[in-house]
């Protein structure tokens, strides 16, 4: 035992004092370092200038009696552990002293050396822990004054949480017990399982730092975006005792970020629409030039050659005939090109007839049999939506004919009151979706669909064909997108 440990015994009964010293010495406690006072006044004066390791206190002294005796000693030496020495009839008074801050009590005549030593050692250790706890609580209080954020101190054993007054940002009444159950139940249902899993991992795997984001329900039913940070306090066996942390309200920043993202998205859509419109104008211009100029020149050349073909020279007739055939093929190719790039037919004859005309022309090439089916109202009010669908089908059929080696392709169009659904599938060689790269054709499709708030998806696998699914809203609705888990 360390001889530096000292004891103050405040006891007025000589017999009890002598017995206590014998028991201390027998237990191995350094009695020679102890001091003895019979009166409270003398003890208080001595405590002003000395700091013993422990005080053994009889509550009934010549100049003081009862709980007031303990309170007087505690006021002078709040950092020193105090063990009450009680008569058999004073047990209830000892309990009051313990409730007021004494570390323990012993009933005279009912304890032996081992219990005495154990009580002293445990009392000293408990007092040290209490001082550390008080210091933490002071820091917690000071931190509460220096922040506008809710601070929390969770006693893991009792599941009780101490909050500073900033917890009022959630709008709950002070009478509500804001314990662990209250806190977990108010985490957004979509975030709750993730937060519980992370919390259990933190406590069970010796981690110390807590840093998570989630949504927390307020008293009025709304949710705040919370950045929750904390630190785990553990005992010598690494068991979690407490967590202390802060909840930062990120709602304003998150909503502002969402607004900026929405504005960015709208600008990107506007750029895409402008690009698509410019592309259509360029298509129409090129198509018109081919039709009005190049095509007319070729037609005139063909007519001229037909007049030359009436001569008698066999060789001339043969060459002219071959030239006319080549020109005729060129004219037909230009007509097909013009039909593909000029979009006026969608406006003139409608979406359904335009798709039917296009698939009919492609079927005449005898490369892939294309089937087209549709349900719903064919009279779409929005020309841009109709043109987007037409161009999507045109692009994808071009991809199928060039790359898929498909024998069959199917187009299914559903026109519903508030949306339009399109599926284009083939029985070709397919592709590995994990490594599929969007070519120019697919990129054009996805950009067009995105520009009108639609969704596009792909299903394919080697040897399993290819399916493109498109959904386009007929009536555009803009909703705030509440993201979960990773909004920071």
């Amino acid at each position: 035992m360390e001889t530096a440990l000292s004891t103050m015994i405040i006891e007025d009964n000589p017999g009890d004092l002598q017995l206590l010293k014998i028991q201390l010495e027998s237990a191995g406690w350094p009695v020679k370092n102890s001091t003895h006072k019979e009166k409270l006044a003398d003890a208080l004066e001595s405590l002003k200038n000395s700091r013993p390791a422990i005080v053994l206190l009889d509550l009934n002294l010549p100049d003081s009696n009862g709980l007031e005796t303990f309170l007087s000693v505690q006021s002078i030496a709040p950092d020193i552990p105090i063990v009450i020495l009680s008569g058999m009839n004073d047990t209830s008074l000892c309990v009051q002293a313990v409730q007021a801050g004494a570390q323990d009590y012993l009933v005279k005549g009912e304890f032996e050396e081992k219990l005495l030593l154990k009580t002293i050692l445990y009392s000293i250790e408990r007092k040290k822990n209490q001082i550390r706890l008080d210091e933490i609580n002071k820091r917690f209080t000071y931190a509460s004054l220096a922040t506008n954020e809710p601070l929390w101190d969770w006693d893991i054993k009792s599941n009780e949480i101490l909050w500073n007054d900033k917890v009022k940002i959630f709008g709950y009444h002070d009478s509500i017990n804001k314990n662990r159950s209250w806190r977990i139940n108010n985490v957004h249902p979509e975030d709750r399982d993730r937060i519980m899993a992370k919390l259990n991992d933190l406590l069970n795997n010796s981690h110390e730092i807590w840093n998570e984001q989630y949504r927390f329900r307020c008293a009025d039913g709304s949710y705040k975006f919370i950045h929750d940070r904390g630190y785990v306090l553990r005992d010598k066996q690494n068991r979690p005792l407490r967590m202390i942390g802060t909840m930062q309200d990120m709602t304003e920043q998150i909503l502002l970020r969402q607004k900026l993202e929405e504005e960015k998205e709208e600008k990107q859509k506007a750029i895409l629409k402008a690009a698509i419109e410019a592309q259509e104008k360029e298509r129409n211009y090129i198509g018109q030039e081919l039709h009005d100029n190049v095509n007319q020149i070729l037609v005139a050349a063909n007519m001229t050659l037909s007049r030359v073909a009436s001569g008698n020279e066999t060789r001339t007739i043969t060459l002219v005939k071959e030239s006319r055939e080549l020109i005729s093929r060129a004219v037909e190719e230009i007509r097909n090109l013009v039909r593909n790039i000029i979009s006026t037919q969608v406006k003139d004859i409608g979406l359904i007839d335009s798709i039917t005309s296009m698939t009919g022309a492609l079927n005449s090439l005898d490369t892939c049999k294309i089937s087209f089916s549709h349900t719903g109202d064919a009279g779409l009010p929005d020309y841009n939506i109709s043109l987007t669908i037409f161009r999507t089908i045109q692009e994808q059929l071009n991809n199928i004919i060039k790359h898929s080696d498909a024998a069959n392709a199917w187009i299914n169009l559903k026109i519903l009151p508030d949306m339009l659904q399109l599926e284009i599938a083939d029985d070709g060689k397919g592709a590995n979706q994990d490594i599929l790269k969007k070519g120019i054709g697919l990129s054009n499709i996805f950009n067009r669909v995105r520009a009108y708030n639609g969704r596009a998806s792909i299903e394919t696998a080697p040897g399993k064909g290819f399916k493109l699914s498109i959904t386009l809203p007929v009536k555009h609705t803009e909703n705030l997108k509440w993201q979960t888990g990773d909004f920071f």
Side-chain angles (χ1 to χ4, degrees):
M1 190 69 60
E2 294 181 7
T3 58
L5 294 175
S6 60
T7 308
M8 175 175 283
I9 304 173
I10 308 175
E11 172 64 67
D12 66 330
N13 188 308
D16 290 339
L17 173 63
Q18 188 63 29
L19 178 61
L20 181 59
K21 286 185 176 182
I22 293 173
Q23 289 175 316
L24 286 172
E25 187 172 12
S26 178
W29 188 258
V31 179
K32 65 179 182 178
N33 293 330
S34 65
T35 58
H36 169 241
K37 303 295 179 183
E38 293 185 2
K39 295 183 179 181
L40 177 63
D42 294 338
L44 296 181
E45 187 64 29
S46 177
L47 287 171
K48 292 179 181 179
N49 302 311
S50 64
R51 281 292 179 266
I54 193 165
V55 171
L56 304 179
L57 174 65
D58 185 356
L59 295 178
N60 297 311
L61 301 172
D63 56 345
S64 180
N65 188 270
L67 184 61
E68 189 63 33
T69 304
F70 163 74
L71 295 177
S72 297
V73 174
Q74 186 187 51
S75 66
I76 293 294
D79 57 335
I80 298 176
I82 301 173
V83 175
I84 305 300
L85 301 175
S86 166
M88 290 189 296
N89 296 326
D90 294 336
T91 303
S92 61
L93 187 60
C94 291
V95 172
Q96 294 180 38
V98 170
Q99 292 174 342
Q103 271 56 63
D104 207 339
Y105 72 92
L106 292 168
V107 178
K108 296 176 182 180
E110 293 189 355
F111 62 85
E112 42 83 37
E113 292 85 354
K114 290 184 179 179
L115 177 59
L116 174 61
L117 181 60
K118 180 180 177 181
T119 299
I120 291 175
L121 294 176
Y122 280 14
S123 296
I124 292 173
E125 189 61 31
R126 278 198 295 270
K127 190 61 177 181
K128 290 179 180 178
N129 291 334
Q130 181 184 340
I131 291 173
R132 285 196 293 265
L133 181 61
D134 290 343
E135 184 63 28
I136 292 174
N137 288 335
K138 286 180 181 178
R139 292 176 182 175
F140 181 84
T141 301
Y142 295 151
S144 298
L145 299 175
T147 181
N148 291 322
E149 299 171 357
L151 296 181
W152 48 269
D153 183 353
W154 174 29
D155 185 326
I156 295 175
K157 288 186 177 181
S158 68
N159 268 335
E160 294 299 316
I161 301 180
L162 174 66
W163 298 86
N164 69 346
D165 62 342
K166 305 306 187 299
V167 72
K168 63 185 179 183
I169 68 169
F170 300 116
Y172 291 95
H173 196 271
D174 292 341
S175 61
I176 293 178
N177 185 9
K178 300 175 182 63
N179 56 15
R180 179 177 180 272
S181 298
W182 170 85
R183 185 175 180 181
I184 290 298
N185 290 336
N186 282 318
V187 174
H188 195 286
E190 294 178 0
D191 300 333
R192 192 175 299 145
D193 289 345
R194 173 177 60 86
I195 293 300
M196 287 299 298
K198 292 289 185 67
L199 183 60
N200 290 332
D201 178 68
L202 175 77
L203 298 179
N204 296 330
N205 291 287
S206 302
H207 304 312
E208 294 181 338
I209 303 301
W210 170 255
N211 192 352
E212 293 297 331
Q213 303 88 34
Y214 54 87
R215 290 162 291 177
F216 193 85
R217 182 174 57 203
C218 299
D220 61 3
S222 64
Y223 282 88
K224 288 185 179 294
F225 291 94
I226 296 300
H227 187 187
D228 200 7
R229 292 165 293 184
Y231 184 83
V232 182
L233 301 177
R234 298 178 180 272
D235 61 16
K236 293 181 180 179
Q237 287 73 41
N238 208 31
R239 293 172 298 194
L241 297 176
R242 299 171 66 189
M243 279 185 68
I244 299 175
T246 177
M247 300 172 72
Q248 183 179 7
D249 182 5
M250 299 293 293
T251 307
E252 185 175 352
Q253 294 93 318
I254 293 299
L255 294 181
L256 179 59
R257 185 184 302 173
Q258 286 186 350
K259 183 178 179 181
L260 292 175
E261 288 295 327
E262 289 172 0
E263 291 176 354
K264 180 180 178 181
E265 180 74 12
E266 287 305 311
K267 288 181 180 179
Q268 290 177 339
K269 289 177 182 178
I271 293 172
L272 284 173
K273 289 180 181 180
I276 291 170
E277 291 175 2
Q279 187 182 63
E280 290 300 326
K281 288 181 180 179
E282 187 67 17
R283 283 173 179 261
N284 288 332
Y285 172 75
I286 295 173
Q288 201 65 45
E289 286 295 310
L290 288 172
H291 180 271
D292 293 344
N293 296 323
V294 180
N295 190 55
Q296 296 302 321
I297 293 172
L298 290 173
V299 170
N302 195 30
M303 292 176 62
T304 302
L305 286 172
S306 68
R307 289 196 296 271
V308 175
S310 60
N312 294 324
E313 295 185 9
T314 303
R315 179 60 177 168
T316 302
I317 293 174
T318 300
L319 291 174
V320 170
K321 182 179 180 181
E322 291 176 356
S323 299
R324 289 186 61 202
E325 289 176 353
L326 291 173
I327 293 173
S328 295
R329 285 174 58 188
V331 169
E332 185 61 30
E333 287 295 326
I334 290 174
R335 286 174 179 169
N336 290 336
L337 180 60
V338 169
R339 180 169 60 249
N340 285 335
I341 65 177
I342 294 182
S343 58
T344 55
Q345 61 174 329
V346 176
K347 186 180 295 184
D348 295 339
I349 65 176
L351 176 62
I352 302 302
D353 288 343
S354 296
I355 298 172
T356 302
S357 174
M358 175 175 57
T359 55
L362 292 175
N363 279 328
S364 67
L365 300 177
D366 200 26
T367 56
C368 174
K369 181 169 179 53
I370 303 170
S371 302
F372 172 49
S373 62
H374 61 89
T375 57
D377 183 11
L380 284 177
D382 193 320
Y383 165 70
N384 289 323
I385 296 293
S386 299
L387 182 59
T388 296
I389 292 298
F390 179 78
R391 291 300 187 202
T392 297
I393 295 173
Q394 190 179 61
E395 294 275 10
Q396 185 58 13
L397 290 181
N398 184 55
N399 290 336
I400 291 172
I401 292 171
K402 286 184 177 181
H403 307 298
S404 71
D405 296 334
N408 298 280
W410 300 270
I411 305 170
N412 181 261
L413 179 64
K414 293 182 181 180
I415 305 174
L416 305 174
D418 59 346
M419 73 174 60
L420 192 151
Q421 296 175 339
L422 172 67
E423 284 188 359
I424 307 173
D426 64 66
D427 59 2
K429 60 185 180 182
N432 189 330
Q433 188 162 338
D434 293 335
I435 61 174
L436 180 67
K437 294 182 179 180
K438 297 177 184 177
I440 295 177
L442 282 177
S443 294
N444 285 339
I445 290 171
F446 275 72
N447 286 338
R448 285 179 179 274
V449 171
R450 181 186 174 196
Y452 290 97
N453 299 316
R455 298 193 305 271
S457 63
I458 293 171
E459 295 180 31
T460 186
K464 300 294 184 179
F466 194 102
K467 183 168 76 171
L468 173 67
S469 300
I470 303 290
T471 301
L472 277 174
V474 175
K475 296 179 181 179
H476 303 297
T477 56
E478 299 294 336
N479 294 319
L480 181 64
K481 297 178 181 178
W482 294 80
Q483 302 174 359
T484 60
D486 58 340
F487 44 79
F488 288 92

